[in-house]
Protein backbone atom coordinates (compact mmCIF):
# COMPACT_ATOMS: atom_id res chain seq x y z
CA UNK A 1 0.00 0.00 0.00
CA UNK A 2 1.18 3.57 -0.60
CA UNK A 3 1.50 6.02 2.24
CA UNK A 4 -1.06 8.84 2.53
CA UNK A 5 0.16 12.05 4.20
CA UNK A 6 -1.49 12.41 7.60
CA UNK A 7 -2.91 8.86 7.57
CA UNK A 8 0.23 6.71 7.82
CA UNK A 9 0.64 4.88 11.14
CA UNK A 10 3.96 3.59 12.33
CA UNK A 11 4.44 -0.12 12.91
CA UNK A 12 5.16 0.43 16.55
CA UNK A 13 1.71 1.91 17.11
CA UNK A 14 -0.08 -1.12 15.70
CA UNK A 15 -1.46 -3.65 18.29
CA UNK A 16 -3.15 -6.99 17.87
CA UNK A 17 -6.89 -7.22 18.65
CA UNK A 18 -7.66 -9.13 21.86
CA UNK A 19 -10.77 -11.33 22.23
CA UNK A 20 -13.39 -9.95 24.62
CA UNK A 21 -13.95 -12.28 27.58
CA UNK A 22 -17.30 -12.85 29.28
CA UNK A 23 -15.99 -11.63 32.58
CA UNK A 24 -14.68 -8.34 31.32
CA UNK A 25 -14.42 -5.16 33.29
CA UNK A 26 -17.55 -4.25 35.22
CA UNK A 27 -19.82 -1.70 33.59
CA UNK A 28 -19.17 -2.90 30.06
CA UNK A 29 -22.18 -4.14 28.12
CA UNK A 30 -22.27 -6.65 25.33
CA UNK A 31 -24.15 -6.06 22.15
CA UNK A 32 -25.58 -9.59 22.07
CA UNK A 33 -29.33 -9.83 21.45
CA UNK A 34 -31.28 -11.14 24.40
CA UNK A 35 -33.67 -13.99 23.63
CA UNK A 36 -35.72 -16.37 25.69
CA UNK A 37 -37.17 -13.83 28.06
CA UNK A 38 -36.58 -13.94 31.80
CA UNK A 39 -35.80 -17.73 31.90
CA UNK A 40 -33.03 -17.43 29.36
CA UNK A 41 -31.74 -14.42 31.21
CA UNK A 42 -31.73 -16.36 34.48
CA UNK A 43 -30.07 -19.33 32.76
CA UNK A 44 -27.44 -17.05 31.28
CA UNK A 45 -26.63 -15.81 34.75
CA UNK A 46 -26.07 -19.38 36.00
CA UNK A 47 -22.93 -21.39 35.18
CA UNK A 48 -23.46 -24.72 33.39
CA UNK A 49 -22.10 -27.80 35.09
CA UNK A 50 -23.20 -31.43 35.78
CA UNK A 51 -25.44 -30.45 38.73
CA UNK A 52 -27.34 -27.66 36.95
CA UNK A 53 -27.81 -29.21 33.49
CA UNK A 54 -31.06 -30.93 34.36
CA UNK A 55 -32.57 -27.84 35.99
CA UNK A 56 -31.59 -25.65 33.12
CA UNK A 57 -33.05 -28.16 30.63
CA UNK A 58 -36.37 -28.21 32.45
CA UNK A 59 -36.53 -24.44 32.86
CA UNK A 60 -35.26 -23.40 29.46
CA UNK A 61 -36.29 -26.20 27.08
CA UNK A 62 -39.34 -27.68 28.78
CA UNK A 63 -40.50 -24.41 30.29
CA UNK A 64 -40.94 -25.76 33.80
CA UNK A 65 -40.81 -23.35 36.68
CA UNK A 66 -37.97 -23.88 39.17
CA UNK A 67 -38.87 -24.43 42.78
CA UNK A 68 -38.59 -21.53 45.17
CA UNK A 69 -40.05 -18.03 45.45
CA UNK A 70 -41.71 -16.80 42.31
CA UNK A 71 -40.56 -13.38 41.05
CA UNK A 72 -42.27 -11.04 38.69
CA UNK A 73 -39.67 -11.76 36.02
CA UNK A 74 -40.47 -15.50 35.98
CA UNK A 75 -44.21 -14.87 35.56
CA UNK A 76 -43.90 -13.39 32.06
CA UNK A 77 -42.52 -16.45 30.25
CA UNK A 78 -45.21 -18.62 31.87
CA UNK A 79 -47.92 -16.34 30.48
CA UNK A 80 -46.33 -16.39 27.01
CA UNK A 81 -46.02 -20.17 27.20
CA UNK A 82 -49.69 -20.38 28.17
CA UNK A 83 -50.62 -18.32 25.12
CA UNK A 84 -48.54 -20.58 22.88
CA UNK A 85 -50.17 -23.72 24.37
CA UNK A 86 -46.94 -25.12 25.85
CA UNK A 87 -47.98 -25.16 29.52
CA UNK A 88 -48.87 -28.54 30.98
CA UNK A 89 -52.13 -29.41 32.67
CA UNK A 90 -50.43 -29.64 36.02
CA UNK A 91 -49.16 -26.14 35.71
CA UNK A 92 -52.64 -25.06 34.68
CA UNK A 93 -54.10 -26.48 37.86
CA UNK A 94 -51.38 -24.93 39.96
CA UNK A 95 -51.78 -21.55 38.38
CA UNK A 96 -55.62 -21.64 38.32
CA UNK A 97 -55.90 -20.37 41.87
CA UNK A 98 -53.30 -17.71 41.23
CA UNK A 99 -55.13 -16.58 38.08
CA UNK A 100 -58.40 -16.28 39.97
CA UNK A 101 -56.71 -14.02 42.46
CA UNK A 102 -55.05 -12.08 39.68
CA UNK A 103 -58.35 -11.69 37.79
CA UNK A 104 -59.94 -10.33 40.96
CA UNK A 105 -57.04 -7.92 41.33
CA UNK A 106 -57.33 -6.97 37.63
CA UNK A 107 -61.09 -6.41 37.90
CA UNK A 108 -60.45 -4.26 40.93
CA UNK A 109 -57.73 -2.35 39.09
CA UNK A 110 -59.75 -1.97 35.83
CA UNK A 111 -61.82 1.03 37.00
CA UNK A 112 -58.60 2.64 38.21
CA UNK A 113 -56.98 2.05 34.82
CA UNK A 114 -60.04 3.39 33.02
CA UNK A 115 -60.07 6.39 35.29
CA UNK A 116 -56.39 6.97 34.62
CA UNK A 117 -57.00 6.69 30.86
CA UNK A 118 -59.94 9.07 31.12
CA UNK A 119 -57.82 11.51 33.11
CA UNK A 120 -55.10 11.26 30.47
CA UNK A 121 -57.65 11.92 27.70
CA UNK A 122 -59.10 14.87 29.61
CA UNK A 123 -55.63 16.17 30.21
CA UNK A 124 -54.85 15.91 26.48
CA UNK A 125 -58.13 17.68 25.64
CA UNK A 126 -57.34 20.42 28.14
CA UNK A 127 -53.88 20.76 26.68
CA UNK A 128 -55.35 21.01 23.17
CA UNK A 129 -57.96 23.51 24.36
CA UNK A 130 -55.32 25.57 26.12
CA UNK A 131 -53.17 25.39 23.00
CA UNK A 132 -56.10 26.56 20.86
CA UNK A 133 -56.86 29.31 23.39
CA UNK A 134 -53.23 30.30 23.28
CA UNK A 135 -53.31 30.46 19.49
CA UNK A 136 -56.56 32.44 19.61
CA UNK A 137 -55.14 34.80 22.20
CA UNK A 138 -52.04 35.19 20.05
CA UNK A 139 -54.21 35.91 17.01
CA UNK A 140 -56.26 38.43 19.00
CA UNK A 141 -53.06 39.99 20.30
CA UNK A 142 -51.77 40.16 16.75
CA UNK A 143 -55.04 41.70 15.61
CA UNK A 144 -54.90 44.22 18.46
CA UNK A 145 -51.31 44.94 17.58
CA UNK A 146 -52.37 45.48 13.95
CA UNK A 147 -55.14 47.82 15.03
CA UNK A 148 -52.72 49.64 17.28
CA UNK A 149 -50.29 50.00 14.42
CA UNK A 150 -53.14 51.25 12.21
CA UNK A 151 -54.17 53.62 14.95
CA UNK A 152 -50.60 54.74 15.35
CA UNK A 153 -50.41 55.59 11.66
CA UNK A 154 -50.10 59.34 11.07
CA UNK A 155 -53.55 60.94 10.79
CA UNK A 156 -54.41 64.51 9.82
CA UNK A 157 -53.81 66.75 12.81
CA UNK A 158 -56.83 68.09 14.66
CA UNK A 159 -57.53 71.79 14.19
CA UNK A 160 -55.70 73.69 16.88
CA UNK A 161 -57.63 75.63 19.46
CA UNK A 162 -57.82 79.28 18.60
CA UNK A 163 -56.43 81.86 20.94
CA UNK A 164 -58.75 84.70 22.00
CA UNK A 165 -57.05 86.98 19.47
CA UNK A 166 -57.45 84.41 16.66
CA UNK A 167 -61.10 83.81 17.62
CA UNK A 168 -61.86 87.53 17.50
CA UNK A 169 -60.12 87.82 14.13
CA UNK A 170 -62.16 84.89 12.82
CA UNK A 171 -65.36 86.60 13.98
CA UNK A 172 -64.31 89.76 12.20
CA UNK A 173 -63.63 87.83 8.99
CA UNK A 174 -67.09 86.20 9.11
CA UNK A 175 -68.68 89.59 9.74
CA UNK A 176 -66.67 91.12 6.89
CA UNK A 177 -67.82 88.34 4.55
CA UNK A 178 -71.44 88.97 5.58
CA UNK A 179 -71.10 92.72 5.01
CA UNK A 180 -69.65 92.13 1.54
CA UNK A 181 -72.48 89.76 0.53
CA UNK A 182 -75.06 92.07 2.10
CA UNK A 183 -73.79 95.02 0.07
CA UNK A 184 -73.83 92.86 -3.08
CA UNK A 185 -77.50 91.96 -2.56
CA UNK A 186 -78.54 95.57 -1.88
CA UNK A 187 -76.66 97.13 -4.80
CA UNK A 188 -77.55 94.65 -7.57
CA UNK A 189 -80.82 93.60 -9.22
CA UNK A 190 -82.45 90.40 -7.95
CA UNK A 191 -81.97 88.57 -11.25
CA UNK A 192 -78.20 88.99 -10.99
CA UNK A 193 -78.21 87.93 -7.31
CA UNK A 194 -80.28 84.84 -8.20
CA UNK A 195 -77.70 83.77 -10.77
CA UNK A 196 -74.88 84.43 -8.30
CA UNK A 197 -76.43 82.16 -5.64
CA UNK A 198 -77.23 79.54 -8.25
CA UNK A 199 -73.56 79.31 -9.25
CA UNK A 200 -72.29 79.33 -5.64
CA UNK A 201 -74.93 77.91 -3.25
CA UNK A 202 -72.47 77.99 -0.33
CA UNK A 203 -72.77 81.79 -0.35
CA UNK A 204 -76.29 81.43 1.07
CA UNK A 205 -74.96 79.65 4.18
CA UNK A 206 -72.17 82.22 4.58
CA UNK A 207 -74.64 85.10 4.34
CA UNK A 208 -77.16 83.67 6.80
CA UNK A 209 -74.45 82.67 9.26
CA UNK A 210 -73.48 86.33 9.49
CA UNK A 211 -77.14 87.36 9.53
CA UNK A 212 -77.82 85.14 12.56
CA UNK A 213 -74.95 86.83 14.40
CA UNK A 214 -76.55 90.20 13.68
CA UNK A 215 -79.98 89.06 14.88
CA UNK A 216 -78.54 88.04 18.29
CA UNK A 217 -77.67 91.71 18.92
CA UNK A 218 -81.11 93.04 17.92
CA UNK A 219 -83.60 93.83 20.70
CA UNK A 220 -86.37 92.19 18.68
CA UNK A 221 -86.69 90.08 15.54
CA UNK A 222 -89.56 91.28 13.29
CA UNK A 223 -90.24 87.65 12.30
CA UNK A 224 -91.44 87.02 15.87
CA UNK A 225 -93.90 89.90 15.69
CA UNK A 226 -95.33 88.58 12.40
CA UNK A 227 -95.72 85.13 13.93
CA UNK A 228 -97.58 86.69 16.84
CA UNK A 229 -99.91 88.51 14.42
CA UNK A 230 -100.69 85.26 12.55
CA UNK A 231 -101.43 83.39 15.79
CA UNK A 232 -103.69 86.10 17.22
CA UNK A 233 -105.59 86.61 13.95
CA UNK A 234 -105.26 83.06 12.66
CA UNK A 235 -108.73 81.63 13.31
CA UNK A 236 -110.97 84.55 12.45
CA UNK A 237 -109.51 87.82 11.14
CA UNK A 238 -107.01 86.73 8.47
CA UNK A 239 -108.26 87.09 4.88
CA UNK A 240 -109.31 83.78 3.35
CA UNK A 241 -110.56 82.20 0.17
CA UNK A 242 -112.59 78.97 0.51
CA UNK A 243 -111.94 79.02 4.31
CA UNK A 244 -108.19 78.72 3.78
CA UNK A 245 -105.54 81.42 4.28
CA UNK A 246 -102.47 81.14 2.06
CA UNK A 247 -99.42 83.15 3.15
CA UNK A 248 -96.45 83.85 0.87
CA UNK A 249 -93.21 84.52 2.77
CA UNK A 250 -91.14 86.35 0.15
CA UNK A 251 -87.40 86.42 0.84
CA UNK A 252 -87.90 83.95 3.71
CA UNK A 253 -84.25 83.09 4.49
CA UNK A 254 -84.39 80.16 6.96
CA UNK A 255 -88.21 79.86 6.52
CA UNK A 256 -88.85 80.40 10.22
CA UNK A 257 -92.53 81.27 9.71
CA UNK A 258 -93.25 78.06 7.75
CA UNK A 259 -91.28 75.97 10.21
CA UNK A 260 -93.02 77.46 13.26
CA UNK A 261 -96.53 76.99 11.79
CA UNK A 262 -96.11 73.42 10.56
CA UNK A 263 -97.99 71.90 13.51
CA UNK A 264 -100.55 74.62 14.37
CA UNK A 265 -101.12 75.74 10.78
CA UNK A 266 -103.59 72.89 10.16
CA UNK A 267 -105.74 73.90 13.13
CA UNK A 268 -105.83 77.54 11.99
CA UNK A 269 -106.24 76.49 8.32
CA UNK A 270 -103.16 78.46 7.34
CA UNK A 271 -100.73 77.40 4.60
CA UNK A 272 -97.31 79.07 4.27
CA UNK A 273 -95.38 79.13 0.99
CA UNK A 274 -91.75 80.26 1.28
CA UNK A 275 -89.60 81.71 -1.52
CA UNK A 276 -85.95 82.79 -1.64
CA UNK A 277 -82.95 82.94 -3.97
CA UNK A 278 -81.35 79.83 -2.43
CA UNK A 279 -81.95 77.59 0.57
CA UNK A 280 -81.22 73.96 1.59
CA UNK A 281 -84.58 73.73 3.39
CA UNK A 282 -87.29 71.58 1.69
CA UNK A 283 -89.87 74.18 2.77
CA UNK A 284 -88.32 76.82 0.48
CA UNK A 285 -88.92 77.25 -3.25
CA UNK A 286 -85.94 78.75 -5.09
CA UNK A 287 -87.10 81.71 -7.13
CA UNK A 288 -86.51 85.35 -7.97
CA UNK A 289 -89.23 87.16 -6.02
CA UNK A 290 -89.71 89.63 -8.88
CA UNK A 291 -90.98 86.69 -10.97
CA UNK A 292 -92.76 84.13 -8.77
CA UNK A 293 -94.15 80.77 -9.96
CA UNK A 294 -97.66 81.58 -8.62
CA UNK A 295 -101.00 82.25 -10.27
CA UNK A 296 -102.71 85.63 -10.19
CA UNK A 297 -104.78 86.22 -7.03
CA UNK A 298 -103.72 82.93 -5.39
CA UNK A 299 -102.32 84.44 -2.15
CA UNK A 300 -104.15 86.03 0.81
CA UNK A 301 -101.18 87.52 2.71
CA UNK A 302 -97.75 88.50 1.31
CA UNK A 303 -94.88 89.20 3.71
CA UNK A 304 -91.66 91.14 3.07
CA UNK A 305 -89.61 90.80 6.25
CA UNK A 306 -86.31 92.65 5.61
CA UNK A 307 -86.56 91.31 2.06
CA UNK A 308 -86.85 94.45 -0.12
CA UNK A 309 -83.24 94.05 -1.18
CA UNK A 310 -81.90 94.78 -4.62
CA UNK A 311 -82.15 97.80 -6.85
CA UNK A 312 -85.44 96.54 -8.33
CA UNK A 313 -87.41 96.29 -5.07
CA UNK A 314 -90.33 98.12 -6.75
CA UNK A 315 -90.71 95.07 -9.01
CA UNK A 316 -91.21 92.97 -5.86
CA UNK A 317 -94.15 95.22 -4.87
CA UNK A 318 -95.72 94.90 -8.32
CA UNK A 319 -95.33 91.11 -8.25
CA UNK A 320 -96.97 91.01 -4.80
CA UNK A 321 -99.94 92.95 -6.22
CA UNK A 322 -100.26 90.36 -9.02
CA UNK A 323 -100.32 87.27 -6.77
CA UNK A 324 -102.54 88.77 -4.03
CA UNK A 325 -106.28 88.20 -3.92
CA UNK A 326 -108.49 91.28 -3.92
CA UNK A 327 -108.45 92.79 -0.40
CA UNK A 328 -105.44 90.67 0.34
CA UNK A 329 -102.87 92.04 2.80
CA UNK A 330 -99.23 93.08 2.35
CA UNK A 331 -97.02 93.11 5.48
CA UNK A 332 -93.68 94.96 5.31
CA UNK A 333 -90.89 95.18 7.91
CA UNK A 334 -87.77 97.24 7.13
CA UNK A 335 -84.86 98.87 8.94
CA UNK A 336 -85.46 102.51 9.89
CA UNK A 337 -82.12 103.64 8.54
CA UNK A 338 -83.29 102.83 5.01
CA UNK A 339 -85.90 105.62 5.15
CA UNK A 340 -85.01 109.32 4.95
CA UNK A 341 -85.62 111.81 7.77
CA UNK A 342 -88.90 113.70 8.09
CA UNK A 343 -89.16 116.83 5.93
CA UNK A 344 -90.86 119.86 7.48
CA UNK A 345 -94.15 120.64 5.74
CA UNK A 346 -93.46 124.39 5.89
CA UNK A 347 -89.92 123.96 4.56
CA UNK A 348 -89.34 125.45 1.12
CA UNK A 349 -89.17 123.19 -1.85
CA UNK A 350 -85.51 122.75 -2.67
CA UNK A 351 -85.98 122.69 -6.44
CA UNK A 352 -88.28 125.73 -6.64
CA UNK A 353 -87.16 128.90 -8.45
CA UNK A 354 -87.46 131.11 -5.40
CA UNK A 355 -85.46 128.75 -3.21
CA UNK A 356 -82.76 128.51 -5.83
CA UNK A 357 -82.44 132.33 -5.90
CA UNK A 358 -82.17 132.43 -2.11
CA UNK A 359 -79.47 129.76 -2.19
CA UNK A 360 -77.52 131.73 -4.80
CA UNK A 361 -77.80 134.96 -2.78
CA UNK A 362 -76.72 133.19 0.40
CA UNK A 363 -73.78 131.67 -1.41
CA UNK A 364 -72.62 135.14 -2.50
CA UNK A 365 -72.75 136.38 1.09
CA UNK A 366 -70.96 133.23 2.26
CA UNK A 367 -73.87 131.83 4.27
CA UNK A 368 -75.33 128.35 3.93
CA UNK A 369 -79.10 128.12 3.69
CA UNK A 370 -79.06 124.49 4.79
CA UNK A 371 -77.25 125.34 8.02
CA UNK A 372 -79.77 128.09 8.69
CA UNK A 373 -82.66 125.67 8.19
CA UNK A 374 -81.12 123.14 10.59
CA UNK A 375 -80.48 125.88 13.14
CA UNK A 376 -84.11 127.03 12.87
CA UNK A 377 -85.34 123.45 13.54
CA UNK A 378 -83.14 123.20 16.62
CA UNK A 379 -84.48 126.53 17.96
CA UNK A 380 -88.08 125.48 17.30
CA UNK A 381 -87.63 122.31 19.38
CA UNK A 382 -85.44 123.65 22.19
CA UNK A 383 -86.95 127.15 22.61
CA UNK A 384 -90.52 126.99 21.32
CA UNK A 385 -91.15 123.46 22.72
CA UNK A 386 -92.34 121.90 19.47
CA UNK A 387 -92.33 118.08 18.99
CA UNK A 388 -88.89 116.77 18.17
CA UNK A 389 -89.24 115.14 14.79
CA UNK A 390 -85.66 115.65 13.68
CA UNK A 391 -84.77 111.95 13.94
CA UNK A 392 -88.18 110.52 13.17
CA UNK A 393 -88.36 108.12 10.25
CA UNK A 394 -90.19 109.41 7.22
CA UNK A 395 -92.01 106.63 5.37
CA UNK A 396 -94.28 108.94 3.38
CA UNK A 397 -92.34 108.57 0.11
CA UNK A 398 -92.37 104.78 0.49
CA UNK A 399 -96.12 104.79 1.20
CA UNK A 400 -96.65 106.98 -1.87
CA UNK A 401 -94.81 104.47 -4.09
CA UNK A 402 -97.01 101.63 -2.82
CA UNK A 403 -100.11 103.79 -3.31
CA UNK A 404 -99.29 104.19 -7.00
CA UNK A 405 -99.05 100.35 -7.17
CA UNK A 406 -102.57 99.83 -5.80
CA UNK A 407 -101.84 99.35 -2.05
CA UNK A 408 -103.68 101.30 0.63
CA UNK A 409 -102.71 101.56 4.29
CA UNK A 410 -104.84 99.39 6.58
CA UNK A 411 -105.91 102.27 8.85
CA UNK A 412 -103.95 105.48 9.08
CA UNK A 413 -102.45 105.07 12.56
CA UNK A 414 -102.47 101.32 13.17
CA UNK A 415 -100.94 100.51 9.78
CA UNK A 416 -97.52 102.05 10.57
CA UNK A 417 -95.68 100.87 13.69
CA UNK A 418 -92.64 102.98 14.63
CA UNK A 419 -92.43 101.77 18.24
CA UNK A 420 -89.33 99.64 17.65
CA UNK A 421 -85.96 101.39 17.74
CA UNK A 422 -84.62 99.57 14.69
CA UNK A 423 -87.55 98.51 12.49
CA UNK A 424 -90.69 99.87 10.85
CA UNK A 425 -93.76 97.68 10.39
CA UNK A 426 -96.47 98.51 7.87
CA UNK A 427 -99.73 96.82 6.83
CA UNK A 428 -101.28 97.46 3.40
CA UNK A 429 -104.35 96.16 1.56
CA UNK A 430 -104.76 95.51 -2.13
CA UNK A 431 -107.67 97.90 -2.51
CA UNK A 432 -107.04 100.11 -5.54
CA UNK A 433 -106.00 99.87 -9.14
CA UNK A 434 -102.37 100.78 -9.79
CA UNK A 435 -101.55 103.97 -11.61
CA UNK A 436 -97.96 102.98 -12.27
CA UNK A 437 -96.03 99.86 -13.01
CA UNK A 438 -96.86 96.69 -14.91
CA UNK A 439 -100.34 96.39 -13.37
CA UNK A 440 -101.41 99.86 -14.48
CA UNK A 441 -103.86 100.18 -17.35
CA UNK A 442 -103.43 103.06 -19.85
CA UNK A 443 -106.13 105.74 -19.49
CA UNK A 444 -108.22 106.39 -22.56
CA UNK A 445 -109.02 110.03 -23.39
CA UNK A 446 -112.72 110.96 -23.11
CA UNK A 447 -114.70 110.60 -26.36
CA UNK A 448 -115.94 113.72 -28.16
CA UNK A 449 -113.71 116.08 -26.26
CA UNK A 450 -110.43 117.46 -27.30
CA UNK A 451 -107.61 117.10 -24.84
CA UNK A 452 -106.20 120.30 -23.38
CA UNK A 453 -102.49 120.67 -23.90
CA UNK A 454 -100.76 122.56 -21.13
CA UNK A 455 -97.31 123.97 -21.49
CA UNK A 456 -95.27 123.74 -18.32
CA UNK A 457 -92.19 125.76 -17.72
CA UNK A 458 -89.27 123.28 -17.51
CA UNK A 459 -87.84 125.24 -14.56
CA UNK A 460 -91.02 124.85 -12.48
CA UNK A 461 -91.53 121.20 -13.52
CA UNK A 462 -90.71 118.73 -10.76
CA UNK A 463 -88.03 116.26 -11.79
CA UNK A 464 -88.95 112.63 -11.82
CA UNK A 465 -87.98 110.89 -8.61
CA UNK A 466 -85.99 107.68 -8.79
CA UNK A 467 -88.32 105.39 -6.84
CA UNK A 468 -85.62 102.81 -6.20
CA UNK A 469 -83.58 105.41 -4.31
CA UNK A 470 -86.39 106.02 -1.78
CA UNK A 471 -85.12 102.96 0.14
CA UNK A 472 -81.45 103.41 0.88
CA UNK A 473 -79.27 100.34 0.56
CA UNK A 474 -78.27 98.86 3.89
CA UNK A 475 -74.50 99.20 3.46
CA UNK A 476 -72.13 98.86 6.39
CA UNK A 477 -69.14 101.08 6.93
CA UNK A 478 -65.83 99.86 5.57
CA UNK A 479 -63.55 98.82 8.45
Amino acid sequence: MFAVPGWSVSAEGLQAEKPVTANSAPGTKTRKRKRGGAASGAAADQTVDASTVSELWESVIEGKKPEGPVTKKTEKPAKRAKKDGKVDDKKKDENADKKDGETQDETAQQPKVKKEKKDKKDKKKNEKASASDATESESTKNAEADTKTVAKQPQPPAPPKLTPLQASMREKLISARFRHLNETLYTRPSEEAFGLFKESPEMFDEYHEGFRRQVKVWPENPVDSFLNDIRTRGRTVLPRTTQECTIADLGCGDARIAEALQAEGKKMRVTVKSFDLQSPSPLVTKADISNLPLEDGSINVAIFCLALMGTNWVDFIEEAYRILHWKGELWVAEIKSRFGPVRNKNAPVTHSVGNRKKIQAAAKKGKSAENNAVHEEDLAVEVDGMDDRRRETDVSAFVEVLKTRGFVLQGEREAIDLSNKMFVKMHFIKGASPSKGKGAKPQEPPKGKRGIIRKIDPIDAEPEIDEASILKPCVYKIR
Side-chain angles (χ1 to χ4, degrees):
M1 297 289 290
F2 55 91
V4 178
W7 288 90
S8 60
V9 182
S10 62
E12 294 176 358
L14 295 176
Q15 293 181 2
E17 186 177 357
K18 294 179 182 180
V20 180
T21 58
N23 297 325
S24 60
T28 57
K29 294 182 180 179
T30 58
R31 293 178 177 272
K32 290 184 179 180
R33 187 175 178 184
K34 294 181 181 180
R35 291 182 182 176
S40 62
D45 294 337
Q46 296 178 3
T47 55
V48 181
D49 53 8
S51 60
T52 58
V53 168
S54 60
E55 290 178 6
L56 290 171
W57 179 268
E58 288 176 358
S59 61
V60 175
I61 304 303
E62 293 181 359
K64 290 181 181 180
K65 236 178 180 184
E67 293 179 359
V70 180
T71 59
K72 290 181 180 179
K73 290 182 180 180
T74 56
E75 288 177 4
K76 290 180 182 178
K79 287 180 181 179
R80 286 184 182 177
K82 181 186 172 185
K83 287 180 182 178
D84 298 336
K86 296 180 181 179
V87 184
D88 296 338
D89 294 334
K90 289 181 181 180
K91 294 287 181 184
K92 286 180 183 179
D93 295 336
E94 290 176 0
N95 295 330
D97 298 331
K98 291 181 181 180
K99 285 180 182 178
D100 293 335
E102 288 175 1
T103 51
Q104 288 177 0
D105 294 337
E106 287 175 2
T107 51
Q109 289 177 0
Q110 276 179 359
K112 292 182 180 179
V113 174
K114 288 181 179 178
K115 191 175 181 182
E116 289 175 0
K117 288 181 179 180
K118 191 175 182 182
D119 292 339
K120 287 181 180 179
K121 287 181 180 179
D122 294 338
K123 192 175 180 181
K124 286 181 180 179
K125 285 181 181 179
N126 293 331
E127 287 176 357
K128 287 181 180 179
S130 62
S132 63
D133 293 338
T135 52
E136 286 178 2
S137 63
E138 285 178 4
S139 62
T140 51
K141 284 179 182 178
N142 293 332
E144 289 175 1
D146 294 338
T147 53
K148 285 180 182 178
T149 52
V150 171
K152 286 179 182 178
Q153 286 180 356
Q155 293 181 353
K161 291 184 179 180
L162 300 176
T163 62
L165 179 61
Q166 290 172 336
S168 64
M169 290 178 69
R170 185 174 181 275
E171 292 290 328
K172 287 180 180 178
L173 287 171
I174 292 170
S175 300
R177 179 64 172 162
F178 164 71
R179 288 195 294 271
H180 172 70
L181 290 172
N182 191 69
E183 184 176 346
T184 302
L185 293 174
Y186 273 104
T187 56
R188 294 186 184 184
S190 59
E191 187 179 358
E192 189 175 340
F194 181 64
L196 188 68
F197 277 104
K198 195 173 182 180
E199 290 175 2
S200 305
E202 68 277 0
M203 291 175 65
F204 177 87
D205 297 327
E206 292 174 2
Y207 174 78
H208 281 279
E209 180 63 29
F211 182 77
R212 291 186 203 100
R213 293 171 186 269
Q214 296 291 328
V215 171
K216 289 178 183 178
V217 186
W218 294 348
E220 182 187 356
N221 191 347
V223 174
D224 298 328
S225 63
F226 283 146
L227 278 169
N228 189 29
D229 291 345
I230 293 169
R231 283 167 180 153
T232 51
R233 299 177 56 194
R235 296 188 178 180
T236 53
V237 189
L238 283 175
R240 299 173 185 273
T241 50
T242 63
Q243 299 182 350
E244 187 80 20
C245 178
T246 306
I247 299 173
D249 187 5
L250 307 176
C252 62
D254 294 334
R256 271 197 63 202
I257 296 175
E259 191 175 349
L261 296 175
Q262 270 186 315
E264 47 191 321
K266 293 180 181 179
K267 294 179 182 178
M268 295 186 293
R269 294 184 179 178
V270 172
T271 305
V272 181
K273 295 182 179 181
S274 304
F275 299 90
D276 209 335
L277 297 173
Q278 178 72 33
S279 179
S281 174
L283 300 172
V284 180
T285 303
K286 299 173 189 177
D288 178 6
I289 55 177
S290 65
N291 186 19
L292 294 167
L294 293 171
E295 295 180 1
D296 297 354
S298 58
I299 301 297
N300 301 108
V301 178
I303 298 174
F304 287 110
C305 185
L306 310 179
L308 294 175
M309 306 169 76
T311 55
N312 61 329
W313 63 267
V314 181
D315 296 339
F316 303 167
I317 303 297
E318 294 175 358
E319 185 68 4
Y321 185 88
R322 180 186 71 81
I323 64 172
L324 274 171
H325 193 268
W326 184 252
K327 296 294 180 182
E329 296 182 10
L330 175 66
W331 299 355
V332 179
E334 271 302 332
I335 301 169
K336 281 185 175 181
S337 60
R338 297 196 68 190
F339 301 94
V342 173
R343 187 178 65 84
N344 189 4
K345 290 182 180 179
N346 298 322
V349 181
T350 55
H351 58 270
S352 66
V353 177
N355 191 54
R356 287 178 184 177
K357 289 180 180 179
K358 288 181 181 179
I359 292 171
Q360 289 174 359
K364 287 180 181 179
K365 293 179 181 180
K367 295 180 181 180
S368 174
E370 291 181 2
N371 291 336
N372 290 335
V374 171
H375 186 61
E376 288 175 3
E377 286 181 5
D378 295 338
L379 289 174
V381 172
E382 295 172 5
V383 178
D384 298 337
M386 294 181 66
D387 293 336
D388 189 4
R389 301 185 63 192
R390 288 172 294 180
R391 296 184 180 179
E392 189 174 341
T393 305
D394 184 11
V395 296
S396 57
F398 180 78
V399 172
E400 190 64 29
V401 172
L402 268 74
K403 188 176 180 180
T404 58
R405 266 65 181 184
F407 288 105
V408 184
L409 283 172
Q410 192 178 11
E412 290 296 327
R413 292 183 180 179
E414 299 87 1
I416 301 172
D417 183 7
L418 297 169
S419 60
N420 194 286
K421 292 181 180 180
M422 293 183 65
F423 308 105
V424 182
K425 282 177 60 183
M426 291 170 274
H427 288 75
F428 297 90
I429 296 175
K430 180 182 176 179
S433 57
S435 58
K436 270 184 165 186
K438 63 181 181 182
K441 295 179 180 179
Q443 292 181 354
E444 295 180 0
K447 295 179 180 180
K449 291 184 179 181
R450 195 173 176 181
I452 300 171
I453 301 171
R454 294 180 179 178
K455 291 184 179 181
I456 302 172
D457 190 358
I459 298 174
D460 294 334
E462 293 186 3
E464 289 187 6
I465 300 171
D466 183 13
E467 293 177 331
S469 64
I470 290 172
L471 280 181
K472 300 175 184 177
C474 188
V475 179
Y476 293 88
K477 292 179 181 179
I478 299 171
R479 297 178 184 177

